[in-house]
Amino acid sequence: MNRFHRMTQAYRELPWRRRVRWLVGVLAAALVVALVFAFEVHLSSQALVLDYRLRALQQQTLNDEQDIVVLQTRLAAMRSVDALSRQAEARGYRPVSPAQEHFVPVPPNALPKAEVAVPQAALQPLTDTPPLPEAYTISLIHWLSRYLLLEPTP
């Protein structure tokens, strides 16, 4: 019996070693969970910063488009017939009668090419919906609660 006891004791683990192994396992699991949450917080913060930058760029684009519309309106007002006739009269020009007109024939190859009309950009107000799909903007915690806990989607 004494020999059997010595053989089993040689392969038996000491209680403090079991506790140390259990403690190291718990600490490793806590470290993995902390790293996953830190990574999720980092990604969420980056997504938030990019969303703020995107909204600022959209607002800047909207302001620039409004400025372009204002400038086009001012240009149209300056090119109107009334404005051009007032400027011509201020510089001493006067209307020409048909008897005073002279026409000069112009060859067809001397005519300028037709200009291509540039399409006007439509103003679009900012919306509350993000431009990215929800799969790219949802946080890890919401994703886990929705897809792993099988909550109904809104």
Side-chain angles (χ1 to χ4, degrees):
M1 187 68 153
N2 196 7
R3 190 185 308 177
F4 179 73
H5 183 63
R6 271 192 244 145
M7 284 177 49
T8 57
Q9 187 176 6
Y11 293 106
R12 189 178 302 154
E13 207 173 317
L14 294 176
W16 66 272
R17 285 185 181 167
R18 276 189 250 149
R19 287 187 201 123
V20 167
R21 183 180 293 154
W22 181 81
L23 183 62
V24 167
V26 168
L27 289 177
L31 181 65
V32 167
V33 169
L35 287 174
V36 167
F37 280 125
F39 186 65
E40 191 273 332
V41 166
H42 173 70
L43 290 180
S44 295
S45 67
Q46 291 298 318
L48 188 64
V49 166
L50 290 176
D51 186 48
Y52 285 147
R53 286 183 186 170
L54 182 65
R55 288 187 188 273
L57 287 174
Q58 285 177 340
Q59 185 64 39
Q60 183 181 1
T61 303
L62 185 64
N63 291 340
D64 290 346
E65 288 175 352
Q66 289 174 348
D67 291 342
I68 289 171
V69 167
V70 167
L71 291 174
Q72 286 176 341
T73 304
R74 287 178 49 200
L75 179 64
M78 285 193 286
R79 287 186 174 176
S80 68
V81 174
D82 293 336
L84 290 177
S85 60
R86 274 186 267 132
Q87 288 176 6
E89 288 174 4
R91 292 184 179 143
Y93 292 101
R94 55 186 172 76
V96 177
S97 67
Q100 298 171 332
E101 294 176 357
H102 297 284
F103 294 99
V104 178
V106 177
N109 59 357
L111 295 175
K113 304 268 191 284
E115 293 184 17
V116 178
V118 177
Q120 299 295 324
L123 295 177
Q124 296 177 353
L126 291 177
T127 60
D128 290 337
T129 59
L132 296 174
E134 184 185 7
Y136 293 109
T137 59
I138 191 170
S139 69
L140 179 64
I141 294 173
H142 288 100
W143 184 85
L144 288 173
S145 67
R146 180 172 295 157
Y147 294 108
L148 294 181
L149 300 178
L150 301 174
E151 290 183 4
T153 58

